[in-house]
Amino acid sequence: MRRLAPVFVALAMTCGGAAAQNTVSVGVDTAHPGAKIDRHIFGQFAEHLGTQIYDGIWVGKTSKIPNTRGIRKDVVAALKDLHVPVVRWPGGCYADQYHWRDGIGKKRVARVNAAWGNAPEPNTFGTDEFMDFAQQIGAEAYVSLNIGSGTVKEAADWVEYMTAPTTATLGKERAANGHPAPYAVNYVGLGNESWDCGGLMTPDEYLQQMKLYARFVNNYNTAVPTQKVAVGPGTDDTAWTDAVMDTWKKRHGWSFDLNGLSLHSYTWGAWPPSHPSTGFGEDEYAFLLKDTLHMEPLVAKQSAAMDKFDPEKKISLTVDEWGAWLAPTPGSNPAFLQQQNSQRDAILAALNLNIFFRHADRIRMTNIAQMVNVLQAMILTDGPKMVLTPTYHLFKMYGPFQDATFLPVSFDAGTYKFGDITLPKVDAVAAKTKDGKIVVALTNIDAKEAVSFEVALPGVSAGSAKGEVLSAPRLDSVNTFAAPNTVKPKAVTATVANGKLSVTLAPASVTVLTLN
Ligand code: AHR
């Protein structure tokens, strides 16, 4: 792994002063709308890992921490406000060792979480609790099936338990556990990283399993179809993609179908993740943002590989794990993947979302890793305390893009340089929202210089735009329990004159504006 000089650079990120004012002209093509930006692109991931489920989401019905049926009220309220469209559970690597019967009914089977540090797994948060959590936050359910250490029958029974009518024995068992109405299982994952923690399988070995799970795991809730997501690649090598897509294409008759192919890609620089989540300078900032921009050629290459078999783009490229994977918080259990979350990470999230929007014809769901207390989390908790991260705020600001229609933009991104690292200076995306308004998201990647944007909106006669800006005192600014509002969006308005919206962005900041 390339090591960077441990230079610590504190940056003043306010506009004006001696900073040069660059101007970027952005043209929004309102006449040629692109694909729908599926709201599922804003999906999240909650694995049984570290303090995510136990403490972060589930505190138990007798906890002093305010809860609804054992699920934290503060976390639910924050996530509900975010309009999380879908949540993936129970893993990750953990999914391939999860046995659903351990987590239903009155008697739970306590186990060891061998995927993540041999932590105690009480199984007090199981299927019914997950469905309750998803319903409380208003999200759809994406359940990862155990292909590694489970069987086709176990997975088929699990989905039958969740979806069958009460005339079936498993539906009756669900009713006896307090849930007579079948659940909606919107997505199932047919394994997880089967090329690595999911069993180190070759494509052929995986396909032998996957075909059976895809064929024999059935949803019985006719009101809500279940989409099936196969394990896909974790690099830009397309051999795995080709093998799965070829098998899908050659299927016939009553065999099986797929709706998604997963892609996992983290921003970590190199394995093992060692870049600090706090106390870093511009070198780390530039390095990790450059690393994150690899998402663009990666999804372009994998999507093109899928095109060979599926030119109509019936199968979604489902990026169901992405985000910054950094060095563990000093003093924490390294197997718990705890890290802080800074202004840099919010920008990293914006750049990834922008890439997903540009590929919205193929990418119809993604799941940031992860939701609470793990990796690039939305929320951090410690006992009764809770804090929202910069990534949470960025996701909330991007809310108008959910189910909006992509609008092409043109601009000269210019360059921002740090040492031998060259990055685009800015990024910009635009869309038409569900209610017909134009929304733009503008990112100033440059760590030192403010940038003025002039956004040309032909045919748009609006007089003003409203939105929020996410900026911070420093690149590595974070929110803590003691100082929860260090990185927080601020309201911003901009005027539109002669079809042009003008706004100036502080260094390392993101602004989202909706036209009135
Ligand atoms: O998100 C953490 C882990 O990263 C997941 O469990 C696994 O799928 C991936 O390797």
Side-chain angles (χ1 to χ4, degrees), residues 45 47 92-93 116 192-193 264 266 321 325 337 370 375:
F45 173 31
E47 180 165 14
C93 296
W116 301 110
N192 173 75
E193 296 191 359
H264 288 184
Y266 286 93
E321 290 188 26
W325 188 329
L337 310 188
Q370 297 199 11
L375 300 179

Side-chain angles (χ1 to χ4, degrees), residues 43-45 319 322-323 349 366-371 376 378 391 395:
Q44 299 186 24
F45 173 31
V319 190
W322 67 272
T366 87
N367 305 80
I368 190 170
Q370 297 199 11
M371 197 174 218
Q376 190 171 350
M378 300 286 141
T391 301
F395 263 57

